[in-house]
Amino acid sequence: MASSLIPFALVVVGLSLLLLLLVFRSVIVPLKASLGFLLSVAATLGAVVAVFQRDWLASALGVAETGPAVSILPILVMAVLFGPAMDYEVFMVSRIREAHVHGAAPPETVLAGSRHASHVVTAAALILFAVFESFIPGGNTMLKPIAFALAVGVCIDAFLVRMTLVPAVLALVGRADWWLPKWLDRLLPDLDIEGNGSRRIGRKTARTVTARPRPSRSARPRASPHAGCLEP
């Protein structure tokens, strides 16, 4: 199982890098999201080791027996947490990018995006935490570590990584958040999932239609030189 963990992690992280690179057309955002996901997985596995192997807070959590966790736990945690982690990342960064597209400065973009997306991320994380936590009290020795890992992993990724570290990194980096090399910009397809390009085209079209062209000087009617003269 240990031999398949590293290839599986490379596939998961590689897919997240590629998808976020296509969606947000940035180098910093995919790297930050992938590193944050690996940080969430590492912290989750550390919490499992602390409770179920080091016997820290085991009695408070209702863990009667401690011992090694199942070997499939790291792969299972990585596979299940990947979906919520990328969802929370898209929720947060989409709002921030929307404010950036409308011309806001980097501090204002982070504040606006965090203010609007934090409610959605908080609600989604609490729902998943309640589902996973409900399996801890009545689960067996095999199910308890898995439920505990998923419940803790969702909270770590949502509240510490996506809602704390992500806005902090974006605010520190500034306008370089959306930097993309020109050669890579030409190679990547423009997905435009938020419709930003459509809005710009629509505004340009509206301005073109509403603007009334001025008649050229040559097209203006000239007065006849005999106008106003009386014939004898």
Side-chain angles (χ1 to χ4, degrees):
M1 190 63 64
S3 60
S4 60
L5 178 61
I6 295 179
F8 181 77
L10 291 176
V11 170
V12 171
V13 174
L15 285 176
S16 64
L17 284 172
L18 179 60
L19 292 177
L20 293 176
L21 182 65
L22 290 173
V23 171
F24 294 110
R25 306 186 70 82
S26 169
V27 176
I28 301 297
V29 172
L31 289 176
K32 170 188 54 60
S34 300
L35 292 177
F37 172 69
L38 293 177
L39 179 62
S40 301
V41 172
T44 301
L45 297 179
V48 172
V49 171
V51 173
F52 291 91
Q53 295 185 14
R54 303 295 183 182
D55 201 9
W56 295 356
L57 299 176
S59 59
L61 295 174
V63 179
E65 299 180 3
T66 59
V70 292
S71 59
I72 199 176
L73 179 63
I75 291 181
L76 186 61
V77 168
M78 191 174 295
V80 175
L81 288 183
F82 176 75
M86 293 302 106
D87 286 343
Y88 303 155
E89 179 75 15
V90 171
F91 287 152
M92 294 294 297
V93 181
S94 294
R95 289 289 189 175
I96 297 174
R97 179 173 172 78
E98 183 179 356
H100 168 74
V101 168
H102 285 81
E108 285 76 12
T109 59
V110 175
L111 290 175
S114 302
R115 188 183 303 113
H116 290 89
S118 59
H119 304 289
V120 179
V121 174
T122 301
L126 291 178
I127 291 173
L128 284 180
F129 174 79
V131 172
F132 295 140
E133 187 272 338
S134 62
F135 290 96
I136 297 177
N140 53 22
T141 56
M142 181 179 177
L143 185 59
K144 277 186 178 182
I146 298 175
F148 174 80
L150 295 178
V152 172
V154 166
C155 290
I156 291 175
D157 190 86
F159 298 110
L160 294 182
V161 175
R162 307 303 162 187
M163 296 179 61
T164 304
L165 292 181
V166 167
V169 171
L170 292 178
L172 289 175
V173 176
R175 296 190 180 276
D177 294 329
W178 317 109
W179 174 78
L180 187 67
K182 294 182 178 180
W183 63 268
L184 187 58
D185 190 17
R186 291 191 296 266
L187 293 177
L188 294 178
D190 191 2
L191 299 181
D192 194 21
I193 61 171
E194 300 173 1
N196 296 323
S198 301
R199 286 196 294 267
R200 287 194 296 267
I201 294 174
R203 288 195 294 267
K204 290 180 180 179
T205 305
R207 287 196 299 266
T208 304
V209 173
T210 55
R212 300 180 63 180
R214 294 181 177 181
S216 60
R217 186 172 297 179
S218 60
R220 294 176 183 175
R222 296 182 178 180
S224 174
H226 302 287
C229 298
L230 298 177
E231 294 183 357

